[in-house]
Each structure stands twice: as C-alpha cells, then as structure tokens.
Amino acid sequence: MEKWAELWKEIDPRIDVNEFYSLPSLAQYYFKINDCFEGCVQFCGSLGAFFQNFVSGGRVMTRNNVKQYVEKCVQDFDAVSLYPSAMHLFEGFLKGMPKRITTTNYTELKRYDGLFLKVRVTKVGKARPFPVLSHLDKTKGTKNWTNDLVDKICFLDKTGLEDAVAFQDVKFEVLDGYYFDQGFNKQIKEQIEVIFNKRLEAKAAGNDGLQQAYKLLMNSSYGKLIEKTPDTDIQIGRAHVWTPVTPISRMPSSAWKKK
C-alpha cells in the first residue's frame, strides 16, 4: 500500500490514495484540482435524471444484428487509449448552466455550443447495417440499435443529431431539451496529453508501476461523470442517544394511563 501511495504522490503530490474508495473517485479529484471542471456545473435531481437519458454504454453488435459464420482469420483491432483519446479530441467540458430551449427550430438550435434534445423520429432516409441511433425498449430495459425508428422517442446530443442527419438522413420533431452557450473548459485536453506522454516516459524508463498508474488514471477519467442520481442518501455521524419514554396503554374508556 505504501508503494501504491508513493506512485500517486509522484503523479501529483496533492493525492492521498487513502482518501478514496475507487479509481474513478481518485481520477475525478485529480482532474478537479487541475482545473478541468472550472466553470462547469454538476447536475442532480430531475435535471440530472433528464441528462442521464443521453448516456449510452458501449455497443456490441454484428452487421444487421444477425449471426455471422466466418471461416477465415479474423483480425481484432483495439484502439490505443480509446476513451482518453476521445477526451483529447473533443472540444472540452461544457461550461455554465443549461438553458431550456425556447424554439424547436433545429437550424437555430444547432448553433449552440452544447445541445441535448428529446426528439420524435419522423423519417429514416438511409438504412444502415450498423445504425447510428438507438431507442430504449422500456419493456425489456434495453437499448435497440435499429433503423426502425419512425415515431420512436430518442434523446440526442449535438453530435448524435449531426451523425443522424449526415449518415442516415434522419428527420425529426424536437419535443424538449436544453442548450449550453457559455463555451468549453478545454483543460481536460491538455491534461490527457500530459498524462499520456508521462506514461510513455515511464514505459521507456522501465517503470512499470508508474506507467500502470498513469494508464489507470486515464481509463478511469470518465467514470464518475456519468453516475446516476442516487435514490437515497447515506450520512455517517455520531450515534444518537434516544431519551426513554414512559410506555402507555389504552383504557376501555379510550382514556390513557401509564403502565
């Protein structure tokens, strides 16, 4: 444990691993103290629940969602630092409070920095073997990636809408949503690059423990940001000492007396 703590102190002397229960918590703290969330807002309650609709996990599917029988060699391609690479490539974290849309005109809405819309699909112009959109099947509790989306409700952010229009010629009706217009905090892009390069230096120096710590830091960098709003709250404090109460019982006349 001491060696583990020393590794993280080498990454950032402000980190004490004994204060964290998980790697995502540690990673979030690292990015917070390095100003990656400056100007950004944390959501909870009904607003947090609405934005949770835009979180989509990894997709595993075959072409047209059917079994494939392959009798030849299959190559497995794995991207290097996939999630950290995405965080380095995107614009950054949206700043400021979200604002409720006041128009359903997509031409006007798409000029905002960030856009999160609830839409009803009215047309899918191009069917694809790997559709870019999905909808939630509430009966099964699963997300279905399909071309059969007409009259389905979808929750799409700005990039998702752009992909839907560009790759599948999707037409839609805007029902509700929020937008951001305060720009981006781009510090995450710089920090990811710093960590990535530091890991390369550690690997070149033969310091396997340190390079693994940098790898874990990058791969845990998004975990806390997509947490669901909890239904309960756990508070830890001193035990409360209750004052004894004299028991009472009901008399036949409905009056009360002490036992």
Side-chain angles (χ1 to χ4, degrees), residues 39-69:
C40 302
V41 179
Q42 184 175 357
F43 303 142
C44 62
S46 58
L47 189 60
F50 177 79
F51 278 91
Q52 191 68 33
N53 290 306
F54 299 87
V55 176
S56 183
R59 171 165 43 154
V60 179
M61 67 173 290
T62 58
R63 182 183 175 92
N64 293 317
N65 263 330
V66 297
K67 291 182 179 180
Q68 306 289 326
Y69 296 91

Side-chain angles (χ1 to χ4, degrees), residues 94-257:
L94 289 160
K95 296 169 63 176
M97 283 292 295
K99 301 178 178 67
R100 195 76 171 266
I101 61 172
T102 57
T103 178
T104 58
N105 187 327
Y106 178 58
T107 302
E108 296 180 29
L109 291 171
K110 66 181 181 181
R111 64 184 175 86
Y112 292 119
D113 299 317
L115 192 59
F116 298 82
L117 298 179
K118 177 182 179 181
V119 304
R120 177 183 290 108
V121 177
T122 58
K123 178 184 177 182
V124 179
K126 298 177 182 177
R128 298 290 188 186
F130 289 90
V132 300
L133 297 184
S134 66
H135 76 95
L136 179 64
D137 186 337
K138 293 184 178 181
T139 60
K140 297 180 179 179
T142 59
K143 283 194 173 183
N144 292 341
W145 298 88
T146 175
N147 295 299
D148 184 20
L149 287 173
V150 175
D151 289 332
K152 296 291 193 303
I153 301 298
C154 295
F155 292 85
L156 299 172
D157 61 12
K158 186 174 182 178
T159 301
L161 282 165
E162 290 171 347
D163 286 349
V165 173
F167 298 113
Q168 293 204 247
D169 192 24
V170 168
K171 309 297 182 185
F172 54 88
E173 173 191 2
V174 176
L175 303 177
D176 197 4
Y178 290 84
Y179 67 90
F180 291 79
D181 61 357
Q182 299 298 308
F184 300 88
N185 180 331
K186 300 187 177 185
Q187 184 66 13
I188 185 66
K189 298 162 65 70
E190 179 180 329
Q191 282 301 316
I192 287 293
E193 185 173 356
V194 168
I195 298 169
F196 186 85
N197 291 332
K198 287 289 186 181
R199 185 193 177 202
L200 292 180
E201 292 176 10
K203 290 178 72 173
N207 191 336
D208 186 62
L210 185 59
Q211 74 89 8
Q212 287 288 350
Y214 277 120
K215 178 182 179 180
L216 290 170
L217 177 58
M218 286 192 293
N219 289 342
S220 303
S221 56
Y222 65 95
K224 292 288 286 184
L225 300 180
I226 57 174
E227 279 189 322
K228 292 183 178 179
T229 301
D231 297 324
T232 58
D233 183 28
I234 299 175
Q235 296 184 0
I236 301 175
R238 293 181 180 276
H240 183 75
V241 179
W242 297 99
T243 302
V245 178
T246 303
I248 58 177
S249 62
R250 185 178 293 276
M251 298 175 63
S253 61
S254 297
W256 296 91
K257 73 172 184 177

Side-chain angles (χ1 to χ4, degrees), residues 3-72:
K3 180 60 177 178
W4 178 246
E6 290 174 5
L7 287 173
W8 288 100
K9 286 291 185 183
E10 188 171 347
I11 292 175
D12 193 307
R14 295 169 290 181
I15 294 177
D16 181 358
V17 295
N18 297 304
E19 296 182 357
F20 304 97
Y21 292 101
S22 66
L23 281 168
S25 296
L26 191 156
Q28 184 189 41
Y29 175 75
Y30 171 86
F31 289 113
K32 181 179 179 180
I33 62 178
N34 283 285
D35 302 324
C36 294
F37 306 130
E38 190 70 27
C40 302
V41 179
Q42 184 175 357
F43 303 142
C44 62
S46 58
L47 189 60
F50 177 79
F51 278 91
Q52 191 68 33
N53 290 306
F54 299 87
V55 176
S56 183
R59 171 165 43 154
V60 179
M61 67 173 290
T62 58
R63 182 183 175 92
N64 293 317
N65 263 330
V66 297
K67 291 182 179 180
Q68 306 289 326
Y69 296 91
V70 181
E71 297 180 352
K72 299 180 180 179

